[in-house]
PDB file of all heavy atoms in Angstrom:
ATOM      1  N   MET A1124     146.980  77.662 122.019  1.00 43.00           N
ATOM      2  CA  MET A1124     145.805  77.887 122.858  1.00 43.00           C
ATOM      3  C   MET A1124     146.059  77.469 124.308  1.00 43.00           C
ATOM      4  O   MET A1124     145.238  77.709 125.181  1.00 43.00           O
ATOM      5  CB  MET A1124     144.612  77.082 122.317  1.00 43.00           C
ATOM      6  CG  MET A1124     144.235  77.434 120.883  1.00 43.00           C
ATOM      7  SD  MET A1124     143.640  79.130 120.718  1.00 43.00           S
ATOM      8  CE  MET A1124     142.067  78.986 121.545  1.00 43.00           C
ATOM      9  N   LEU A1126     146.144  74.386 125.302  1.00 48.00           N
ATOM     10  CA  LEU A1126     145.400  73.164 125.572  1.00 48.00           C
ATOM     11  C   LEU A1126     145.950  72.035 124.724  1.00 48.00           C
ATOM     12  O   LEU A1126     146.434  72.250 123.624  1.00 48.00           O
ATOM     13  CB  LEU A1126     143.909  73.357 125.260  1.00 48.00           C
ATOM     14  CG  LEU A1126     143.166  74.409 126.103  1.00 48.00           C
ATOM     15  CD1 LEU A1126     141.780  74.612 125.545  1.00 48.00           C
ATOM     16  CD2 LEU A1126     143.093  73.971 127.566  1.00 48.00           C
ATOM     17  N   SER A1128     144.061  69.518 123.719  1.00 51.00           N
ATOM     18  CA  SER A1128     142.989  69.113 122.806  1.00 51.00           C
ATOM     19  C   SER A1128     142.703  70.215 121.798  1.00 51.00           C
ATOM     20  O   SER A1128     142.841  71.403 122.091  1.00 51.00           O
ATOM     21  CB  SER A1128     141.719  68.794 123.599  1.00 51.00           C
ATOM     22  OG  SER A1128     140.654  68.537 122.718  1.00 51.00           O
ATOM     23  N   GLY A1129     142.296  69.795 120.621  1.00 52.00           N
ATOM     24  CA  GLY A1129     141.937  70.778 119.592  1.00 52.00           C
ATOM     25  C   GLY A1129     140.456  71.081 119.576  1.00 52.00           C
ATOM     26  O   GLY A1129     139.962  71.749 118.652  1.00 52.00           O
ATOM     27  N   ALA A1130     139.712  70.634 120.591  1.00 53.00           N
ATOM     28  CA  ALA A1130     138.254  70.828 120.611  1.00 53.00           C
ATOM     29  C   ALA A1130     137.880  72.289 120.716  1.00 53.00           C
ATOM     30  O   ALA A1130     136.943  72.762 120.046  1.00 53.00           O
ATOM     31  CB  ALA A1130     137.642  70.038 121.772  1.00 53.00           C
ATOM     32  N   LEU A1131     138.583  73.052 121.567  1.00 52.00           N
ATOM     33  CA  LEU A1131     138.208  74.449 121.779  1.00 52.00           C
ATOM     34  C   LEU A1131     138.407  75.306 120.536  1.00 52.00           C
ATOM     35  O   LEU A1131     137.495  76.007 120.109  1.00 52.00           O
ATOM     36  CB  LEU A1131     138.984  75.016 122.973  1.00 52.00           C
ATOM     37  CG  LEU A1131     138.614  76.440 123.395  1.00 52.00           C
ATOM     38  CD1 LEU A1131     137.147  76.502 123.790  1.00 52.00           C
ATOM     39  CD2 LEU A1131     139.488  76.888 124.568  1.00 52.00           C
ATOM     40  N   PRO A1132     139.598  75.281 119.905  1.00 60.00           N
ATOM     41  CA  PRO A1132     139.750  76.067 118.676  1.00 60.00           C
ATOM     42  C   PRO A1132     138.832  75.592 117.559  1.00 60.00           C
ATOM     43  O   PRO A1132     138.347  76.397 116.759  1.00 60.00           O
ATOM     44  CB  PRO A1132     141.221  75.873 118.309  1.00 60.00           C
ATOM     45  CG  PRO A1132     141.681  74.687 119.071  1.00 60.00           C
ATOM     46  CD  PRO A1132     140.871  74.649 120.315  1.00 60.00           C
ATOM     47  N   LEU A1133     138.561  74.273 117.510  1.00 57.00           N
ATOM     48  CA  LEU A1133     137.654  73.762 116.479  1.00 57.00           C
ATOM     49  C   LEU A1133     136.239  74.286 116.696  1.00 57.00           C
ATOM     50  O   LEU A1133     135.553  74.696 115.753  1.00 57.00           O
ATOM     51  CB  LEU A1133     137.651  72.236 116.492  1.00 57.00           C
ATOM     52  CG  LEU A1133     136.700  71.556 115.477  1.00 57.00           C
ATOM     53  CD1 LEU A1133     137.095  71.937 114.054  1.00 57.00           C
ATOM     54  CD2 LEU A1133     136.718  70.044 115.662  1.00 57.00           C
ATOM     55  N   SER A1134     135.806  74.308 117.966  1.00 58.00           N
ATOM     56  CA  SER A1134     134.470  74.826 118.283  1.00 58.00           C
ATOM     57  C   SER A1134     134.360  76.305 117.941  1.00 58.00           C
ATOM     58  O   SER A1134     133.347  76.753 117.394  1.00 58.00           O
ATOM     59  CB  SER A1134     134.188  74.608 119.777  1.00 58.00           C
ATOM     60  OG  SER A1134     132.952  75.187 120.135  1.00 58.00           O
ATOM     61  N   ALA A1135     135.406  77.067 118.253  1.00 56.00           N
ATOM     62  CA  ALA A1135     135.394  78.494 117.930  1.00 56.00           C
ATOM     63  C   ALA A1135     135.332  78.714 116.423  1.00 56.00           C
ATOM     64  O   ALA A1135     134.600  79.580 115.925  1.00 56.00           O
ATOM     65  CB  ALA A1135     136.628  79.170 118.513  1.00 56.00           C
ATOM     66  N   ALA A1136     136.095  77.906 115.691  1.00 63.00           N
ATOM     67  CA  ALA A1136     136.093  78.034 114.226  1.00 63.00           C
ATOM     68  C   ALA A1136     134.718  77.712 113.654  1.00 63.00           C
ATOM     69  O   ALA A1136     134.225  78.401 112.757  1.00 63.00           O
ATOM     70  CB  ALA A1136     137.151  77.111 113.624  1.00 63.00           C
TER      71      ALA A1136
END
Side-chain angles (χ1 to χ4, degrees):
M1124 301 295 289
L1126 297 172
S1128 174
L1131 185 60
L1133 178 61
S1134 176

